[in-house]
Amino acid sequence: MINEIKNYSTVKMFGIYCLYIIAFMYLQHLFLINDQLYYASLSNQLSYDSIDKMLAFQKKWQWLSYCAIPLLYFFKFLLISCCLLCGSIFFDAKLKFSDAFKISILSDIVFVIPVILKVVWFAFLHKQYTLEDIQHFSPLSVVNFFDPKSVSALWYYPLQSINVFEVLYIFVLGFWIYKFENKNYEKGLRLAVSTYLPGLFIWIVLVMFLTININPKI
Amino acid sequence: MKKILAFSLVLILGGGLGYMIYHIVRVKKQTDIANQNKQHLPDFSFFDLNDVKKGSEVVKPGAPVVIIYFNNDCEYCQREAKQLNANMHMLNGTQILMVSFNTVNDIKQYAKANQLDQYKQVTFLRDKELKFTHWFGNCSIPSVFVYNAQHQLVKEFYGEVKIEAIKALI
């Protein structure tokens, strides 16, 4: 099976994964986010006329958010692949770029779980929700130990990023490195921890850097 | 060769990371000070449309104050101004300070196009020295700061806001 995955086209794998993500995003919009939700959540601050205009604008350009998915995910996988390749030099592993790219795609499937949880949670279990509830939904995350309204926008993303799925992701990353490299799992996991964690740390600092420059609510 | 490249990359990333952390800490400190200071109407200093420096003496004592930070080119600011003109009766007795970093001509055009120049309670000020964030912290455009009659900050809105929401606070 691993040979089939190794020989499978990276471009095809990336394309299929992007289609899945777009489908999940579409489902999320279809089931969870509707016009009534916007009116209920924003009418405290905005007039109905302004909400109408905002919704019209959003509907007009929604296709763009779907088109941006492949681009965003390409950069995500590219950055993770670079981290893995850098680490492979220090760890004397012979990882090829296409392998590293495939490993990052295969491991990313872990992050589909919280998206499914979100849809199930709001569509079937917690039907009375606001836009803020959807934005703040972070299952099995450290941020849940705090009141979302009291957490500064600067610290929200770092706290949200410390979650069970990130930990699981590192284990899965280690597993796929082990499978692609034919070395033991411990070595794969060590490579994953020592490359992905610093990468994630830099990413979180970058997001904080952008937040402090853009977001007024800090 | 590969190891040299990898070490160089680590050094570059380390440098970038150090700069970002330094910047975050510095801006956070400034923002915390501004957030604390703006709880009571700060002693700001802007310019009127005749390029004369104006401080908080333009504020009438004992009246609620609404400060709107705007940009003539921003669509939301145009909508805010139209709403303000249409609902000015709701803010009787409230002083409105419209502050912008635009040129004097742009501010005059904004005031005229939205008929805000006809109201005595509206004062236009120019943030020529780009110091608004120094007194009011990070903000988006438009930003609206609502102060009560004691000049205590009641609420701040980032983005467009309907006049009913402001009225409900003062």
Side-chain angles (χ1 to χ4, degrees):
Chain A
M1 185 199 158
I2 186 66
N3 282 333
E4 279 173 32
I5 294 174
K6 267 185 175 179
N7 296 329
Y8 198 79
S9 157
T10 314
V11 178
K12 265 189 194 172
M13 192 185 276
F14 176 69
I16 291 169
Y17 189 69
C18 285
L19 283 177
Y20 267 110
I21 295 296
I22 290 169
F24 277 120
M25 208 171 141
Y26 178 74
L27 282 177
Q28 202 175 314
H29 272 105
L30 192 72
F31 284 114
L32 305 183
I33 301 167
N34 52 42
D35 289 0
Q36 279 71 35
L37 184 68
Y38 278 101
Y39 285 110
S41 303
L42 302 175
S43 59
N44 280 341
Q45 182 170 338
L46 295 176
S47 64
Y48 284 106
D49 186 42
S50 298
I51 301 174
D52 284 342
K53 280 181 183 148
M54 192 192 81
L55 286 174
F57 179 84
Q58 222 172 42
K59 278 172 190 159
K60 189 179 170 190
W61 294 105
Q62 198 164 28
W63 62 272
L64 206 62
S65 63
Y66 293 121
C67 290
I69 293 282
L71 200 69
L72 292 174
Y73 274 82
F74 175 76
F75 278 111
K76 180 182 180 180
F77 298 145
L78 184 72
L79 290 176
I80 295 169
S81 305
C82 287
C83 286
L84 294 179
L85 286 176
C86 255
S88 71
I89 295 170
F90 291 110
F91 276 77
D92 247 355
K94 288 179 181 67
L95 210 58
K96 284 190 291 179
F97 178 76
S98 61
D99 287 347
F101 204 85
K102 275 180 196 160
I103 288 170
S104 44
I105 297 172
L106 291 165
S107 309
D108 204 75
I109 293 169
V110 169
F111 292 124
V112 174
I113 303 169
V115 180
I116 296 172
L117 279 178
K118 187 192 255 186
V119 175
V120 172
W121 179 259
F122 289 113
F124 303 107
L125 301 169
H126 184 79
K127 289 182 182 173
Q128 300 293 319
Y129 56 88
T130 62
L131 263 185
E132 268 195 339
D133 292 334
I134 291 188
Q135 283 163 355
H136 290 151
F137 185 74
S138 321
L140 306 175
S141 162
V142 169
V143 79
N144 292 318
F145 291 111
F146 301 89
D147 172 18
K149 280 173 189 160
S150 68
V151 178
S152 147
L154 182 65
W155 288 105
Y156 202 86
Y157 183 73
L159 291 173
Q160 198 179 31
S161 300
I162 306 171
N163 62 57
V164 170
F165 301 103
E166 280 297 346
V167 178
L168 191 63
Y169 178 80
I170 293 170
F171 281 102
V172 175
L173 205 59
F175 169 79
W176 284 115
I177 294 170
Y178 146 68
K179 282 288 180 190
F180 272 74
E181 273 285 281
N182 288 326
K183 291 192 173 166
N184 60 38
Y185 179 65
E186 199 190 317
K187 201 170 178 187
L189 188 62
R190 219 182 303 151
L191 178 69
V193 170
S194 54
T195 54
Y196 179 70
L197 275 187
L200 180 67
F201 179 69
I202 294 171
W203 176 253
I204 288 174
V205 173
L206 179 70
V207 171
M208 289 175 81
F209 178 78
L210 295 174
T211 306
I212 206 158
N213 285 308
I214 297 168
N215 196 329
K217 294 176 187 168
I218 52 167
Chain B
M1 185 62 190
K2 270 186 177 179
K3 282 204 172 177
I4 294 172
L5 273 175
F7 271 119
S8 310
L9 188 69
V10 169
L11 274 179
I12 292 167
L13 284 176
L17 191 67
Y19 169 74
M20 286 192 292
I21 292 173
Y22 167 74
H23 181 83
I24 290 166
V25 173
R26 191 172 57 86
V27 176
K28 179 73 179 137
K29 265 187 193 170
Q30 287 171 356
T31 313
D32 284 346
I33 294 170
N35 283 345
Q36 211 173 0
N37 290 346
K38 75 182 172 192
Q39 295 308 313
H40 190 268
L41 192 66
D43 192 15
F44 56 76
S45 151
F46 298 119
F47 290 81
D48 70 7
L49 300 188
N50 297 315
D51 211 25
V52 177
K53 210 168 196 169
K54 294 281 177 185
S56 43
E57 75 270 7
V58 294
V59 177
K60 287 175 199 157
V65 181
V66 175
I67 298 175
I68 302 177
Y69 193 52
F70 74 96
N71 173 12
N72 188 24
D73 299 326
C74 146
E75 190 194 331
Y76 303 104
C77 303
Q78 293 291 346
R79 293 215 299 248
E80 189 70 49
K82 282 183 180 66
Q83 285 193 59
L84 198 58
N85 181 35
N87 299 290
M88 193 61 88
H89 60 277
M90 289 188 187
L91 299 178
N92 276 343
T94 301
Q95 194 179 4
I96 298 158
L97 301 182
M98 307 280 302
V99 186
S100 173
F101 52 81
N102 288 143
T103 61
V104 172
N105 280 343
D106 281 348
I107 295 174
K108 280 182 179 169
Q109 193 200 345
Y110 178 86
K112 199 174 176 190
N114 296 297
Q115 298 172 325
L116 293 176
D117 51 355
Q118 59 176 317
Y119 301 106
K120 279 187 179 169
Q121 69 196 93
V122 180
T123 309
F124 280 91
L125 294 168
R126 190 172 171 231
D127 179 23
K128 188 166 93 171
E129 294 167 336
L130 302 177
K131 281 187 162 177
F132 192 87
T133 53
H134 172 75
W135 291 296
F136 295 93
N138 267 8
C139 53
S140 61
I141 291 177
S143 287
V144 178
F145 299 84
V146 183
Y147 287 89
N148 63 15
Q150 290 75 43
H151 295 171
Q152 302 288 336
L153 180 67
V154 185
K155 193 165 171 122
E156 54 209 299
F157 294 98
Y158 297 106
E160 191 185 337
V161 57
K162 61 181 180 183
I163 308 305
E164 290 95 321
I166 299 175
K167 167 73 183 159
L169 298 166
I170 47 182

